[in-house]
Amino acid sequence: MPTESRIETVDKMFQNASKPRTIIEDIDPITKLGCIYDATPQGENGLNIATEFAKNLHLPLKTFTTNDYYYDFKKTIDEINNKEVDSRNYIDQFASEEELEVEIKVLMGGKIKKVFAMMNSEFEEKDKLSGLITEKLIENNFSLLVAGSPLMRAREDTGTLGYYLSILLKNPKIHSNFFLVPDQLTKRGDSMLGFVSYKQKEGTISTIIRRGLSIRKQSQNITIVGLIEENTLEMIARSEIDEEEADLEAKIIEVSGRIKDKFIENFEEVDISPKFELNFNYNIEIGNLTSIVKDQLEKNNPSFVLVRSVSTLDEHLHSNAESIARIALGEGYPVLILYD
């Protein structure tokens, strides 16, 4: 008769054998490379990195040059309007002090009037710069698009993404993966760092690995961090706790262990072909999203960050992917946002 320990060993063997495996034997090749260049520090950084990709991947690089001249015009128009208001106010104040009734007549050149009229008129989406860029990106369908972040603006004015990138990243008709580059690049190492959120769509881990393999330089390693947010644990614990149970903390600890074990299982199910000679590491972190991402960036000092955005019916750019991208860009790291 087999001993209990032997039976347990055999059971474990069957359990392990029955688990589905994700075997990575091929990559998702980059076949078409694009870049948007503008007259900003991040635009220059983006062009430099896009050039490195082109050389490393042996691909031609298609570049669009663009600048937000409307923004400059709008600032000028606002300044003119402000001057007009200041002039009127000055005359009104002066007339009041002098106890005099004054008629004010504004004189403005015909060309300036035409510019004012044009700036105040409505334009169709296709005639706007954002519409034009969108049209070109849909038409070209780049595998990888490199762009400065924010696009055509200073970070101080618009944050890490900005007006134009927010439009492009959230458009479901654009199927390119975006490689975003900040204005101030920190001193970076040679590894790649991916982030996967709890309950993210199945296949995210292997998707990040495949894309990392397709653009890495020789011998670059990949580390993927599994993110479990504390508020998620509490939410799950509260939904599962019985009315008779009063110890929420104990339930959170139990849920935390269960989710962490499942995360580990997901990572362990991925097999990478030895032909890639990839040193792949993973770890799982529990806590506040911002703190975890910043801490991992400091510890790993990656060449760039990878994050996957899983589209839904009402959200093309997933909020978690956007949050991680904003944090990494703000810390000076380029970010590759992958789409389905």
Side-chain angles (χ1 to χ4, degrees), residues 11-173:
D11 283 344
K12 284 184 178 179
M13 287 175 60
F14 276 110
Q15 287 173 10
N16 291 334
S18 64
K19 287 180 181 177
R21 309 292 295 179
T22 301
I23 303 174
I24 298 177
E25 294 183 304
D26 56 6
I27 61 174
D28 298 326
I30 304 295
T31 57
K32 200 170 185 182
L33 180 64
C35 175
I36 301 178
Y37 172 78
D38 57 54
T40 61
Q42 60 267 30
E44 184 176 345
N45 289 340
L47 181 61
N48 288 334
I49 289 178
T51 302
E52 290 178 14
F53 280 142
K55 291 179 178 178
N56 186 48
L57 299 171
H58 306 289
L59 289 173
L61 175 63
K62 187 167 186 175
T63 304
F64 297 104
T65 62
T66 185
N67 288 285
D68 190 4
Y69 300 117
Y70 175 85
Y71 186 57
D72 295 330
F73 270 116
K74 184 69 170 59
K75 287 196 295 184
T76 301
I77 293 297
D78 289 343
E79 288 173 5
I80 293 172
N81 277 325
N82 290 336
K83 283 183 180 179
E84 290 298 323
V85 171
D86 290 344
S87 296
R88 284 176 175 272
N89 290 341
Y90 178 82
I91 294 175
D92 284 337
Q93 180 66 28
F94 180 81
S96 176
E97 291 173 357
E98 296 294 326
E99 298 181 350
L100 183 69
E101 200 172 302
V102 177
E103 180 183 351
I104 303 173
K105 180 68 175 177
V106 176
L107 300 178
M108 185 179 292
K111 287 184 178 180
I112 300 300
K113 285 183 178 179
K114 287 182 179 179
V115 171
F116 264 62
M118 180 193 68
M119 293 295 288
N120 290 328
S121 62
E122 292 294 324
F123 290 91
E124 292 184 21
E125 190 62 37
K126 65 181 179 63
D127 294 324
K128 296 178 182 178
L129 181 56
S130 57
L132 178 61
I133 297 172
T134 299
E135 179 187 325
K136 291 300 179 185
L137 296 188
I138 294 172
E139 176 187 319
N140 282 273
N141 195 26
F142 295 109
S143 304
L144 184 67
L145 177 75
V146 183
S149 180
L151 193 60
M152 295 179 282
R153 302 277 182 91
R155 188 198 301 191
E156 291 75 15
D157 298 331
T158 64
T160 47
L161 292 183
Y163 173 76
Y164 288 98
L165 272 185
S166 294
I167 291 175
L168 299 176
L169 290 168
K170 294 175 181 179
N171 191 323
K173 294 181 181 178

Side-chain angles (χ1 to χ4, degrees), residues 217-228:
K217 296 177 183 176
Q218 191 174 11
S219 77
Q220 266 189 310
N221 300 324
I222 299 178
T223 296
I224 298 182
V225 178
L227 297 169
I228 305 174

